[in-house]
Amino acid sequence: MGAVKKLFLIVLCLNSLSCSKCKEDKAFKAEFQNCLEIVDLVFSDGYYCDDGTRMHAFGCLIAITGYEGRVDLFANTPATYSCYSNDCDEDLEGEDLKKWKQWYEANKCSFTLAKADSLIARYREVIGDPELTWPVRDSVKVFEF
């Protein structure tokens, strides 16, 4: 075997050993990121969505991560932040988004859409919402004045 071929094989072997074994589930990533984006847009000026979409985005994030944050899923207006004491001065949704993003980074290699779907199904029963599912991004609208 020629020196060039040996060198090529050595580089190929080293490259395959140094590569990360992380395999992100692209479908799960897309759905999770969609939830994060909906939550982010809902609290941005000029955007709105129906209660169901907001509830589904928060519900899915909570079901998958186990982190509830400070959102009140069952307020008069579902999935909103209620202010207790001085909480209104804080960036509540920003802190929650940060924690959900951190969770994703820590778990992206071990999570699949099937696993997420099973957690959502289990949470659906816990909260008594048989319609809880991944939210549809198209339901977030821009305010038209």
Side-chain angles (χ1 to χ4, degrees), residues 32-98:
F32 195 87
Q33 295 298 327
N34 183 49
C35 288
L36 292 175
E37 289 171 9
I38 288 172
V39 169
D40 192 33
L41 284 175
V42 165
F43 292 105
S44 298
D45 288 336
Y47 291 92
Y48 73 96
C49 70
D50 61 272
D51 293 347
T53 299
R54 195 171 51 251
M55 176 85 165
H56 289 195
F58 280 111
C60 288
L61 291 170
I62 292 167
I64 294 164
T65 66
Y67 174 72
E68 291 187 24
R70 295 190 220 170
V71 67
D72 188 350
L73 288 179
F74 305 104
N76 288 337
T77 303
T80 56
Y81 285 91
S82 297
C83 295
Y84 302 107
S85 65
N86 295 328
D87 283 349
C88 288
D89 296 334
E90 299 176 28
D91 179 16
L92 300 178
E93 67 275 357
E95 284 299 310
D96 288 346
L97 276 170
K98 182 178 170 184

Side-chain angles (χ1 to χ4, degrees), residues 20 22-24 28-29 32-33 36 61 64-65 97-111:
S20 172
C22 180
K23 301 277 187 204
E24 282 184 87
F28 169 64
K29 180 179 182 176
F32 195 87
Q33 295 298 327
L36 292 175
L61 291 170
I64 294 164
T65 66
L97 276 170
K98 182 178 170 184
K99 290 192 182 197
W100 284 316
K101 288 175 183 179
Q102 289 170 341
W103 179 93
Y104 181 80
E105 286 304 315
N107 294 281
K108 66 184 177 185
C109 298
S110 62
F111 244 76

